[in-house]
């Protein structure tokens, strides 16, 4: 198969068209078979009723025969091709047949007579008439077999009106006609023309006490013609209908997938140009394709924002790294030329700052890569006490208000980093007070760090969590840092399924609250367990 053929076979339109055509084909074939069978059954039932009426008309005439006045030869039998009639006794001997009936099968008694020669007729007492001897018995393998109420020579038959076997034990009374009618399929030659018939067999007892069987046929030519016409019409119409279904499905799917092709072409163009500001066309409809286009554009918007954020991050990181590196290089060059002027403490400070910045950038890179923290449980209050005890060089002492036994699950090192960043930020802005508290609030554990500084203006309370952002009064790199500490703290909080917000502290400064889920899933109905000092109150509605 060529490449073009493989593409066609693998396309959604081709598969949809072929699938729809196959389903319709199966449905039409099944429906056609059901229609033909139903039509055949209805026409067969119609033939049964016609044959039964003809048989009972003859049986009624036999039942009314007077033994001393009339013989079977005087029966008025139909002589047309629509209803050939045959009368036989229980031993299978032919008593009377339609004048033009030359041969019959399916009744158990065959007729072999010259065209238009009178059939032999025994007297009502059952004696054989001339020409009606045993030579006229059935030649189809039913010799000596009485014509019971299935009336068949081996062909399938239907017995309506009772479950009797048609033996003499259940013969109708004198002058009566049996309520049972059995049906068989057969053929007959009438006046030189052979056709298929549906035969009805009815037993009747004449006035002389002789029980005979009347077989009357109804032509099946109409049934065969109707079934054949219906079958041919279906066979001729099926391919045309399947072509129409396949063509319509192809056109409909082509129209439906046209916007998808537009989306694909635009995405290919965006990939080739790397211009993430472009967007795919959105159909005016509200179907699945339109929702796909909107989702694609939302993804492109998020991707464009991520790439822009990454570019800014690289640019800001380069800027932040360039300054301390340049300062360190200058000090080293001066020290090399004039050893007595080497500022060793300044060089060490620049080196430490570079080390911290590199560590911050590495942590951000790991967080951006989707690194998930561990799920080890530990006491958050104990961690806070341990970390604060190691901060011996803080300008303002840290006041602790820690509730014991409040555990969280996550990375102890990353949460310790969050605490360190929050305390560093508070130390830079506090006047005389910095506090850290751990308490329970509903189903969460809260770590709050507050100071009595100037606070954070309400308009800046979200922007300060962006990377490399420093407020105007903290632009000095020596005092304000690189602007990564709060961004790292919020990213770590998000990785722990928590939140980090800033508000107004009771002392007037900034209040940072880190809220983490409790590993035991405590019910929020337990109510808050905030510190008595009210540090947990977040008054974010007022500017710092």
């Amino acid at each position: 198969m060529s490449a073009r053929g493989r593409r066609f076979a693998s396309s959604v339109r081709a598969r949809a068209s072929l699938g729809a055509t196959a389903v319709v084909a199966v449905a039409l074939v099944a429906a056609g078979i059901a229609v033909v069978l139903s039509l055949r059954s209805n026409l067969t039932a119609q033939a049964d009723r016609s044959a039964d009426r003809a048989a009972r008309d003859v049986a009624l005439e036999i039942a009314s025969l007077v033994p001393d006045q009339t013989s079977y030869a005087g029966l008025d039998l139909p002589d047309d091709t629509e209803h050939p009639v045959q009368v036989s006794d229980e031993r299978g001997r032919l008593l009377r047949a339609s004048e033009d009936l030359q041969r019959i099968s399916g009744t158990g008694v065959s007729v072999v007579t010259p065209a238009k020669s009178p059939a032999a007729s025994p007297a009502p007492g059952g004696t054989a008439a001339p020409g009606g001897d045993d030579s006229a018995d059935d030649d189809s393998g039913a010799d000596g077999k009485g014509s019971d109420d299935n009336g068949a020579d081996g062909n399938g038959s239907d017995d309506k009106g009772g479950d009797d076997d048609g033996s003499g034990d259940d013969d109708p009374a004198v002058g009566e006609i049996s309520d049972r009618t059995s049906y068989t399929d057969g053929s007959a030659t009438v006046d030189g023309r052979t056709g298929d018939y549906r035969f009805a067999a009815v037993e009747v007892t004449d006035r002389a006490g002789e029980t005979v069987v009347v077989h009357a046929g109804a032509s099946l030519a109409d049934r065969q013609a109707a079934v054949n016409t219906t079958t041919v019409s279906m066979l001729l119409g099926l391919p045309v209908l399947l072509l129409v279904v396949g063509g319509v499905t192809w056109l409909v799917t082509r129209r439906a997938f046209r916007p998808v092709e537009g989306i694909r072409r635009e995405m290919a163009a965006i990939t080739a140009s790397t211009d993430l500001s472009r967007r795919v066309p959105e159909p005016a409809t509200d179907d699945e394709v339109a929702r796909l286009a909107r989702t694609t554009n939302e993804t492109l918007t998020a991707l464009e924002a991520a790439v822009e954020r990454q570019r800014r991050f690289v640019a800001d990181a380069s800027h932040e790294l360039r300054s301390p590196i340049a300062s360190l290089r200058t000090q080293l060059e001066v020290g090399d030329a004039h050893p007595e002027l080497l500022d060793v403490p300044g060089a060490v400070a620049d080196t430490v700052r570079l080390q911290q910045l590199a560590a911050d950038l590495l942590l951000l890179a790991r967080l951006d890569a989707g690194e998930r923290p561990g799920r080890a449980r530990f006491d958050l209050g104990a961690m806070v006490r341990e970390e604060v005890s190691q901060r011996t060089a803080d300008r303002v002492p840290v006041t602790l208000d820690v509730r014991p036994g409040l555990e969280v699950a996550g990375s102890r090192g990353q949460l310790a980093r969050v605490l360190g960043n929050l305390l560093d930020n508070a130390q830079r802005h506090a006047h005389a007070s910095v506090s850290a508290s751990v308490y329970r609030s509903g189903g969460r554990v809260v770590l709050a760090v507050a100071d009595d500084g100037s606070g954070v203006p309400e308009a800046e309370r979200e922007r300060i969590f962006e990377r490399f952002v420093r407020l105007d009064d903290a632009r000095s790199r020596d005092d304000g840092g690189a602007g990564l500490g709060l961004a790292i703290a919020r990213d770590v909080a998000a990785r722990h399924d928590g939140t980090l917000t800033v508000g107004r502290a009771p002392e007037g400064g900034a209040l940072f609250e880190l809220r983490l889920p409790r590993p035991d899933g405590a019910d929020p109905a337990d109510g808050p367990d905030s510190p008595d000092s009210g540090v947990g109150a977040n008054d974010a509605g007022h500017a710092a």
Side-chain angles (χ1 to χ4, degrees):
M1 183 183 292
S2 63
R4 184 181 181 87
R6 286 194 297 270
R7 286 196 300 270
F8 173 80
S10 62
S11 68
V12 176
R13 282 184 294 173
R15 292 199 300 269
S17 300
L18 293 176
T21 303
V23 170
V24 172
V26 172
L28 288 178
V29 169
I33 293 175
V35 169
V36 170
L37 292 179
S38 177
L39 178 63
R40 180 185 176 90
S41 176
N42 290 335
L43 293 178
T44 300
Q46 183 178 348
D48 287 346
R49 290 192 295 270
S50 178
D52 181 67
R53 283 195 301 269
R56 290 188 178 277
D57 288 343
V58 175
L60 180 62
E61 186 175 356
I62 293 175
S64 62
L65 289 176
V66 179
D68 57 354
Q69 294 180 356
T70 309
S71 67
Y72 289 130
L75 289 176
D76 184 15
L77 301 182
D79 56 2
D80 56 9
T81 59
E82 292 297 323
H83 297 292
V85 176
Q86 177 191 72
V87 181
S88 62
D89 62 13
E90 290 183 307
R91 293 182 297 277
R93 293 183 303 170
L94 179 64
L95 302 179
R96 185 77 166 86
S98 296
E99 182 177 358
D100 293 332
L101 181 61
Q102 298 171 327
R103 182 172 292 278
I104 190 171
S105 64
T107 63
V109 180
S110 64
V111 175
V112 182
T113 60
K116 297 187 178 180
S117 64
S121 303
T127 60
D133 59 9
D134 292 342
S135 64
D137 287 351
D138 186 9
D139 62 356
S140 60
D143 295 343
K145 180 179 179 181
S147 177
D148 59 13
D149 52 310
N150 61 23
D153 62 346
N155 296 330
S157 65
D158 299 325
D159 184 6
K160 298 182 180 179
D163 56 357
D164 220 324
D165 61 358
S167 63
D169 295 340
D170 293 323
D171 290 341
V174 175
E176 297 292 334
I177 301 173
S178 174
D179 293 333
R180 296 186 304 273
T181 303
S182 60
Y183 301 94
T184 58
D185 289 330
S187 63
T189 302
V190 181
D191 198 16
R193 292 189 296 271
T194 301
D196 293 330
Y197 288 85
R198 183 72 168 170
F199 291 103
V202 177
E203 288 186 346
V204 57
T205 302
D206 59 17
R207 296 295 181 89
E210 179 72 15
T211 300
V212 297
V213 181
V214 179
H215 291 91
S219 176
L220 295 178
D222 292 341
R223 185 189 75 176
Q224 293 172 346
V227 170
N228 292 338
T229 301
T230 303
T231 303
V232 171
S233 300
M234 289 183 177
L235 291 177
L236 293 178
L238 180 62
V240 177
L241 185 58
L242 293 181
L243 287 176
V244 172
V245 170
V248 170
T249 305
W250 175 268
L251 294 177
V252 170
T253 52
R254 179 180 181 181
R255 180 179 180 85
F257 283 104
R258 186 177 300 164
V260 177
E261 178 62 20
I263 294 173
R264 188 201 64 78
R265 285 197 300 265
E266 187 63 25
M267 288 296 293
I270 293 173
T271 302
S273 65
T274 67
D275 182 9
L276 295 178
S277 63
R278 300 174 62 173
R279 296 294 180 267
V280 300
E282 294 186 13
T285 59
D286 191 25
D287 55 9
E288 292 82 356
V289 176
R291 291 194 290 272
L292 172 63
R294 286 194 292 270
T295 303
T296 302
N297 284 334
E298 291 171 359
T299 302
L300 289 173
T301 300
L303 182 60
E304 182 184 15
V307 170
E308 183 61 27
R309 185 169 59 251
Q310 188 69 16
R311 288 173 180 170
R312 289 199 307 268
F313 176 77
V314 172
D316 291 338
S318 300
H319 180 72
E320 293 292 336
L321 288 171
R322 182 175 58 185
S323 297
I325 290 176
S327 175
L328 182 59
R329 177 180 178 180
T330 299
Q331 294 181 49
L332 293 176
E333 288 177 348
V334 170
D336 183 53
H338 306 281
E340 70 279 3
L341 299 178
L342 178 61
D343 183 9
V344 176
V348 172
D350 286 340
T351 303
V352 171
R353 187 167 179 273
L354 278 174
Q355 183 181 8
Q356 293 175 345
L357 182 57
D360 288 343
L361 293 175
L362 179 60
L363 179 57
L364 282 174
R366 296 202 330 251
L367 294 175
D368 288 342
E371 178 183 286
R372 303 297 299 180
R375 306 308 298 172
R377 297 175 58 165
F378 60 92
D379 190 328
L380 183 61
M383 185 271 288
V384 171
R385 282 193 294 268
E386 180 180 349
E387 293 295 324
V388 171
S389 66
Q390 297 175 5
R391 299 176 64 91
T392 58
D394 283 344
R395 179 177 60 88
V396 178
V398 179
T399 303
L400 293 179
D401 184 6
V402 176
R403 297 289 188 270
L406 296 179
E407 292 187 340
V408 295
S411 171
R412 191 180 189 282
Q414 291 185 6
L415 292 178
R417 183 70 174 274
V418 172
L419 174 63
N421 290 349
L422 295 179
L423 291 176
D424 289 342
N425 183 75
Q427 289 290 334
R428 283 193 294 267
H429 298 284
H431 297 309
S433 173
V434 175
S435 63
S437 58
V438 177
Y439 57 92
R440 183 185 63 193
S441 177
R444 291 185 173 258
V445 177
V446 181
L447 167 61
V449 176
D451 62 72
D452 60 350
S454 58
V456 181
E458 187 174 0
E460 304 288 346
R461 289 179 181 174
E462 284 299 318
R463 196 172 72 89
I464 61 173
F465 293 106
E466 297 178 6
R467 297 174 183 182
F468 300 105
V469 170
R470 294 183 296 271
L471 300 184
D472 292 340
D473 60 350
R475 292 299 299 177
S476 171
R477 292 185 176 85
D478 293 333
D479 296 333
L484 293 176
L486 295 180
I488 291 174
R490 172 163 279 191
D491 284 351
V492 171
R495 294 297 188 276
H496 285 76
D497 299 325
T499 59
L500 178 61
T501 57
V502 61
R504 180 184 177 89
E507 296 85 357
L511 169 64
F512 289 87
E513 289 183 323
L514 171 65
R515 296 178 177 269
L516 300 172
R518 294 176 60 185
D520 55 0
D523 189 352
D526 293 344
D529 188 12
S530 58
D532 298 336
S533 61
V535 174
N538 185 347
D539 185 11
H542 300 281

PDB file of all heavy atoms in Angstrom, residues 2 4 49 61 116 125 139 157 190 210 212 218 230 262 285 289 361 401 410 421 424 463 471 476 518:
ATOM      1  N   SER A   2       0.521   2.228  -0.850  1.00  0.00           N
ATOM      2  CA  SER A   2       1.305   3.451  -0.926  1.00  0.00           C
ATOM      3  C   SER A   2       1.111   4.288   0.320  1.00  0.00           C
ATOM      4  O   SER A   2       0.207   4.056   1.129  1.00  0.00           O
ATOM      5  CB  SER A   2       0.896   4.254  -2.165  1.00  0.00           C
ATOM      6  OG  SER A   2      -0.464   4.654  -2.058  1.00  0.00           O
ATOM      7  N   ARG A   4       0.108   7.360   0.441  1.00  0.00           N
ATOM      8  CA  ARG A   4      -1.182   8.052   0.357  1.00  0.00           C
ATOM      9  C   ARG A   4      -2.329   7.127   0.781  1.00  0.00           C
ATOM     10  O   ARG A   4      -3.259   7.545   1.485  1.00  0.00           O
ATOM     11  CB  ARG A   4      -1.395   8.566  -1.059  1.00  0.00           C
ATOM     12  CG  ARG A   4      -2.675   9.387  -1.244  1.00  0.00           C
ATOM     13  CD  ARG A   4      -2.829   9.844  -2.677  1.00  0.00           C
ATOM     14  NE  ARG A   4      -4.030  10.637  -2.852  1.00  0.00           N
ATOM     15  CZ  ARG A   4      -4.097  11.935  -2.658  1.00  0.00           C
ATOM     16  NH1 ARG A   4      -3.014  12.598  -2.270  1.00  0.00           N
ATOM     17  NH2 ARG A   4      -5.227  12.592  -2.837  1.00  0.00           N
ATOM     18  N   ARG A  49     -55.415 -20.062   4.474  1.00  0.00           N
ATOM     19  CA  ARG A  49     -56.843 -19.759   4.624  1.00  0.00           C
ATOM     20  C   ARG A  49     -57.614 -20.058   3.333  1.00  0.00           C
ATOM     21  O   ARG A  49     -58.736 -20.585   3.369  1.00  0.00           O
ATOM     22  CB  ARG A  49     -57.006 -18.291   5.015  1.00  0.00           C
ATOM     23  CG  ARG A  49     -56.528 -17.977   6.414  1.00  0.00           C
ATOM     24  CD  ARG A  49     -56.968 -16.593   6.844  1.00  0.00           C
ATOM     25  NE  ARG A  49     -56.345 -15.548   6.017  1.00  0.00           N
ATOM     26  CZ  ARG A  49     -55.176 -14.977   6.305  1.00  0.00           C
ATOM     27  NH1 ARG A  49     -54.502 -15.381   7.379  1.00  0.00           N
ATOM     28  NH2 ARG A  49     -54.695 -14.034   5.539  1.00  0.00           N
ATOM     29  N   GLU A  61     -69.856 -30.543   0.945  1.00  0.00           N
ATOM     30  CA  GLU A  61     -70.664 -31.226  -0.076  1.00  0.00           C
ATOM     31  C   GLU A  61     -70.663 -32.731   0.151  1.00  0.00           C
ATOM     32  O   GLU A  61     -71.693 -33.400  -0.002  1.00  0.00           O
ATOM     33  CB  GLU A  61     -70.111 -30.882  -1.466  1.00  0.00           C
ATOM     34  CG  GLU A  61     -70.977 -31.416  -2.599  1.00  0.00           C
ATOM     35  CD  GLU A  61     -70.461 -30.963  -3.962  1.00  0.00           C
ATOM     36  OE1 GLU A  61     -69.487 -30.173  -3.983  1.00  0.00           O
ATOM     37  OE2 GLU A  61     -71.011 -31.415  -4.988  1.00  0.00           O
ATOM     38  N   LYS A 116     -57.656 -34.396 -18.891  1.00  0.00           N
ATOM     39  CA  LYS A 116     -59.097 -34.264 -19.020  1.00  0.00           C
ATOM     40  C   LYS A 116     -59.805 -35.615 -19.067  1.00  0.00           C
ATOM     41  O   LYS A 116     -60.891 -35.748 -19.634  1.00  0.00           O
ATOM     42  CB  LYS A 116     -59.482 -33.448 -20.247  1.00  0.00           C
ATOM     43  CG  LYS A 116     -58.999 -32.034 -20.181  1.00  0.00           C
ATOM     44  CD  LYS A 116     -59.532 -31.194 -21.321  1.00  0.00           C
ATOM     45  CE  LYS A 116     -59.074 -29.753 -21.193  1.00  0.00           C
ATOM     46  NZ  LYS A 116     -59.569 -28.891 -22.281  1.00  0.00           N
ATOM     47  N   GLY A 125     -70.405 -46.068  -0.398  1.00  0.00           N
ATOM     48  CA  GLY A 125     -70.110 -47.161   0.509  1.00  0.00           C
ATOM     49  C   GLY A 125     -68.662 -47.534   0.529  1.00  0.00           C
ATOM     50  O   GLY A 125     -68.267 -48.380   1.315  1.00  0.00           O
ATOM     51  N   ASP A 139     -47.211 -42.930  -5.298  1.00  0.00           N
ATOM     52  CA  ASP A 139     -45.906 -43.402  -5.731  1.00  0.00           C
ATOM     53  C   ASP A 139     -44.772 -42.668  -5.067  1.00  0.00           C
ATOM     54  O   ASP A 139     -43.652 -42.682  -5.530  1.00  0.00           O
ATOM     55  CB  ASP A 139     -45.783 -43.285  -7.250  1.00  0.00           C
ATOM     56  CG  ASP A 139     -45.901 -41.834  -7.708  1.00  0.00           C
ATOM     57  OD1 ASP A 139     -46.151 -40.964  -6.834  1.00  0.00           O
ATOM     58  OD2 ASP A 139     -45.720 -41.576  -8.917  1.00  0.00           O
ATOM     59  N   SER A 157     -45.225 -30.437   7.585  1.00  0.00           N
ATOM     60  CA  SER A 157     -46.638 -30.080   7.584  1.00  0.00           C
ATOM     61  C   SER A 157     -46.981 -29.372   8.863  1.00  0.00           C
ATOM     62  O   SER A 157     -46.295 -29.481   9.869  1.00  0.00           O
ATOM     63  CB  SER A 157     -47.487 -31.327   7.424  1.00  0.00           C
ATOM     64  OG  SER A 157     -47.321 -32.173   8.539  1.00  0.00           O
ATOM     65  N   VAL A 190     -51.591 -29.104 -13.344  1.00  0.00           N
ATOM     66  CA  VAL A 190     -52.992 -28.899 -13.719  1.00  0.00           C
ATOM     67  C   VAL A 190     -53.021 -28.402 -15.151  1.00  0.00           C
ATOM     68  O   VAL A 190     -52.424 -27.349 -15.461  1.00  0.00           O
ATOM     69  CB  VAL A 190     -53.683 -27.893 -12.773  1.00  0.00           C
ATOM     70  CG1 VAL A 190     -55.146 -27.716 -13.190  1.00  0.00           C
ATOM     71  CG2 VAL A 190     -53.598 -28.376 -11.337  1.00  0.00           C
ATOM     72  N   GLU A 210     -68.338 -43.527   5.811  1.00  0.00           N
ATOM     73  CA  GLU A 210     -66.998 -43.629   5.259  1.00  0.00           C
ATOM     74  C   GLU A 210     -66.254 -42.312   5.515  1.00  0.00           C
ATOM     75  O   GLU A 210     -66.751 -41.229   5.161  1.00  0.00           O
ATOM     76  CB  GLU A 210     -67.059 -43.913   3.759  1.00  0.00           C
ATOM     77  CG  GLU A 210     -65.704 -44.004   3.094  1.00  0.00           C
ATOM     78  CD  GLU A 210     -64.947 -45.277   3.447  1.00  0.00           C
ATOM     79  OE1 GLU A 210     -65.584 -46.229   3.977  1.00  0.00           O
ATOM     80  OE2 GLU A 210     -63.732 -45.336   3.202  1.00  0.00           O
ATOM     81  N   VAL A 212     -63.271 -39.864   4.691  1.00  0.00           N
ATOM     82  CA  VAL A 212     -62.359 -39.545   3.593  1.00  0.00           C
ATOM     83  C   VAL A 212     -61.586 -38.274   3.947  1.00  0.00           C
ATOM     84  O   VAL A 212     -61.948 -37.540   4.871  1.00  0.00           O
ATOM     85  CB  VAL A 212     -63.129 -39.338   2.269  1.00  0.00           C
ATOM     86  CG1 VAL A 212     -63.842 -40.618   1.865  1.00  0.00           C
ATOM     87  CG2 VAL A 212     -64.110 -38.189   2.392  1.00  0.00           C
ATOM     88  N   ALA A 218     -53.842 -24.309  -2.653  1.00  0.00           N
ATOM     89  CA  ALA A 218     -53.867 -22.880  -2.990  1.00  0.00           C
ATOM     90  C   ALA A 218     -52.524 -22.540  -3.615  1.00  0.00           C
ATOM     91  O   ALA A 218     -51.462 -22.886  -3.069  1.00  0.00           O
ATOM     92  CB  ALA A 218     -54.119 -22.021  -1.761  1.00  0.00           C
ATOM     93  N   THR A 230     -39.379  -8.609  -3.916  1.00  0.00           N
ATOM     94  CA  THR A 230     -38.833  -7.891  -2.753  1.00  0.00           C
ATOM     95  C   THR A 230     -37.340  -8.151  -2.605  1.00  0.00           C
ATOM     96  O   THR A 230     -36.560  -7.226  -2.345  1.00  0.00           O
ATOM     97  CB  THR A 230     -39.574  -8.332  -1.480  1.00  0.00           C
ATOM     98  OG1 THR A 230     -40.971  -8.095  -1.636  1.00  0.00           O
ATOM     99  CG2 THR A 230     -39.055  -7.563  -0.278  1.00  0.00           C
ATOM    100  N   GLY A 262      -7.669  23.221  10.608  1.00  0.00           N
ATOM    101  CA  GLY A 262      -7.189  24.592  10.814  1.00  0.00           C
ATOM    102  C   GLY A 262      -6.377  24.722  12.090  1.00  0.00           C
ATOM    103  O   GLY A 262      -5.341  25.412  12.122  1.00  0.00           O
ATOM    104  N   THR A 285     -19.150  27.867  16.984  1.00  0.00           N
ATOM    105  CA  THR A 285     -20.061  26.911  17.609  1.00  0.00           C
ATOM    106  C   THR A 285     -19.632  26.633  19.050  1.00  0.00           C
ATOM    107  O   THR A 285     -18.616  27.135  19.528  1.00  0.00           O
ATOM    108  CB  THR A 285     -20.077  25.598  16.809  1.00  0.00           C
ATOM    109  OG1 THR A 285     -18.739  25.073  16.765  1.00  0.00           O
ATOM    110  CG2 THR A 285     -20.557  25.859  15.396  1.00  0.00           C
ATOM    111  N   VAL A 289     -15.222  20.568  19.092  1.00  0.00           N
ATOM    112  CA  VAL A 289     -14.094  21.163  18.375  1.00  0.00           C
ATOM    113  C   VAL A 289     -13.834  22.584  18.882  1.00  0.00           C
ATOM    114  O   VAL A 289     -12.680  22.998  19.066  1.00  0.00           O
ATOM    115  CB  VAL A 289     -14.368  21.161  16.857  1.00  0.00           C
ATOM    116  CG1 VAL A 289     -13.239  21.857  16.110  1.00  0.00           C
ATOM    117  CG2 VAL A 289     -14.539  19.740  16.356  1.00  0.00           C
ATOM    118  N   LEU A 361      18.520  29.553  43.496  1.00  0.00           N
ATOM    119  CA  LEU A 361      18.217  29.234  42.104  1.00  0.00           C
ATOM    120  C   LEU A 361      18.093  27.724  41.891  1.00  0.00           C
ATOM    121  O   LEU A 361      17.220  27.256  41.140  1.00  0.00           O
ATOM    122  CB  LEU A 361      19.306  29.805  41.191  1.00  0.00           C
ATOM    123  CG  LEU A 361      19.382  31.342  41.107  1.00  0.00           C
ATOM    124  CD1 LEU A 361      20.571  31.774  40.260  1.00  0.00           C
ATOM    125  CD2 LEU A 361      18.095  31.918  40.539  1.00  0.00           C
ATOM    126  N   ASP A 401       5.790  31.455  70.454  1.00  0.00           N
ATOM    127  CA  ASP A 401       4.529  31.023  71.069  1.00  0.00           C
ATOM    128  C   ASP A 401       4.099  29.758  70.318  1.00  0.00           C
ATOM    129  O   ASP A 401       3.394  29.821  69.318  1.00  0.00           O
ATOM    130  CB  ASP A 401       3.467  32.113  70.959  1.00  0.00           C
ATOM    131  CG  ASP A 401       2.180  31.719  71.680  1.00  0.00           C
ATOM    132  OD1 ASP A 401       2.170  30.661  72.343  1.00  0.00           O
ATOM    133  OD2 ASP A 401       1.181  32.446  71.546  1.00  0.00           O
ATOM    134  N   GLY A 410       5.754  16.283  55.381  1.00  0.00           N
ATOM    135  CA  GLY A 410       6.436  16.931  54.276  1.00  0.00           C
ATOM    136  C   GLY A 410       7.940  16.904  54.462  1.00  0.00           C
ATOM    137  O   GLY A 410       8.491  16.098  55.215  1.00  0.00           O
ATOM    138  N   ASN A 421      13.487  32.019  55.629  1.00  0.00           N
ATOM    139  CA  ASN A 421      13.209  33.152  54.737  1.00  0.00           C
ATOM    140  C   ASN A 421      12.255  34.148  55.385  1.00  0.00           C
ATOM    141  O   ASN A 421      12.422  35.368  55.261  1.00  0.00           O
ATOM    142  CB  ASN A 421      12.624  32.652  53.415  1.00  0.00           C
ATOM    143  CG  ASN A 421      13.643  31.910  52.581  1.00  0.00           C
ATOM    144  OD1 ASN A 421      14.838  31.918  52.868  1.00  0.00           O
ATOM    145  ND2 ASN A 421      13.175  31.237  51.535  1.00  0.00           N
ATOM    146  N   ASP A 424      14.187  35.994  58.111  1.00  0.00           N
ATOM    147  CA  ASP A 424      15.129  36.952  57.505  1.00  0.00           C
ATOM    148  C   ASP A 424      14.389  38.200  57.045  1.00  0.00           C
ATOM    149  O   ASP A 424      14.856  39.337  57.218  1.00  0.00           O
ATOM    150  CB  ASP A 424      15.849  36.305  56.331  1.00  0.00           C
ATOM    151  CG  ASP A 424      16.845  35.245  56.771  1.00  0.00           C
ATOM    152  OD1 ASP A 424      17.215  35.247  57.963  1.00  0.00           O
ATOM    153  OD2 ASP A 424      17.234  34.410  55.931  1.00  0.00           O
ATOM    154  N   ARG A 463       2.271  40.799  44.878  1.00  0.00           N
ATOM    155  CA  ARG A 463       3.441  40.992  44.025  1.00  0.00           C
ATOM    156  C   ARG A 463       4.729  40.615  44.726  1.00  0.00           C
ATOM    157  O   ARG A 463       5.703  40.204  44.075  1.00  0.00           O
ATOM    158  CB  ARG A 463       3.505  42.451  43.562  1.00  0.00           C
ATOM    159  CG  ARG A 463       4.438  42.668  42.372  1.00  0.00           C
ATOM    160  CD  ARG A 463       4.316  44.074  41.853  1.00  0.00           C
ATOM    161  NE  ARG A 463       4.913  45.028  42.753  1.00  0.00           N
ATOM    162  CZ  ARG A 463       6.195  45.402  42.705  1.00  0.00           C
ATOM    163  NH1 ARG A 463       6.996  44.883  41.795  1.00  0.00           N
ATOM    164  NH2 ARG A 463       6.674  46.289  43.551  1.00  0.00           N
ATOM    165  N   LEU A 471      10.454  45.592  47.269  1.00  0.00           N
ATOM    166  CA  LEU A 471       9.748  46.861  47.381  1.00  0.00           C
ATOM    167  C   LEU A 471      10.735  48.014  47.334  1.00  0.00           C
ATOM    168  O   LEU A 471      11.938  47.856  47.526  1.00  0.00           O
ATOM    169  CB  LEU A 471       8.938  46.900  48.680  1.00  0.00           C
ATOM    170  CG  LEU A 471       7.864  45.798  48.807  1.00  0.00           C
ATOM    171  CD1 LEU A 471       7.066  45.992  50.077  1.00  0.00           C
ATOM    172  CD2 LEU A 471       6.956  45.772  47.585  1.00  0.00           C
ATOM    173  N   SER A 476      18.072  48.004  48.057  1.00  0.00           N
ATOM    174  CA  SER A 476      19.493  47.741  48.279  1.00  0.00           C
ATOM    175  C   SER A 476      19.747  46.240  48.334  1.00  0.00           C
ATOM    176  O   SER A 476      19.112  45.526  49.097  1.00  0.00           O
ATOM    177  CB  SER A 476      19.955  48.391  49.592  1.00  0.00           C
ATOM    178  OG  SER A 476      21.257  47.967  49.904  1.00  0.00           O
ATOM    179  N   ARG A 518      -3.168  19.105  58.306  1.00  0.00           N
ATOM    180  CA  ARG A 518      -2.766  18.148  59.333  1.00  0.00           C
ATOM    181  C   ARG A 518      -2.812  16.740  58.767  1.00  0.00           C
ATOM    182  O   ARG A 518      -3.759  16.368  58.077  1.00  0.00           O
ATOM    183  CB  ARG A 518      -3.700  18.257  60.545  1.00  0.00           C
ATOM    184  CG  ARG A 518      -3.595  19.591  61.264  1.00  0.00           C
ATOM    185  CD  ARG A 518      -4.607  19.683  62.401  1.00  0.00           C
ATOM    186  NE  ARG A 518      -4.401  18.630  63.388  1.00  0.00           N
ATOM    187  CZ  ARG A 518      -5.196  18.432  64.429  1.00  0.00           C
ATOM    188  NH1 ARG A 518      -6.245  19.203  64.615  1.00  0.00           N
ATOM    189  NH2 ARG A 518      -4.933  17.468  65.287  1.00  0.00           N
TER     190      ARG A 518
END
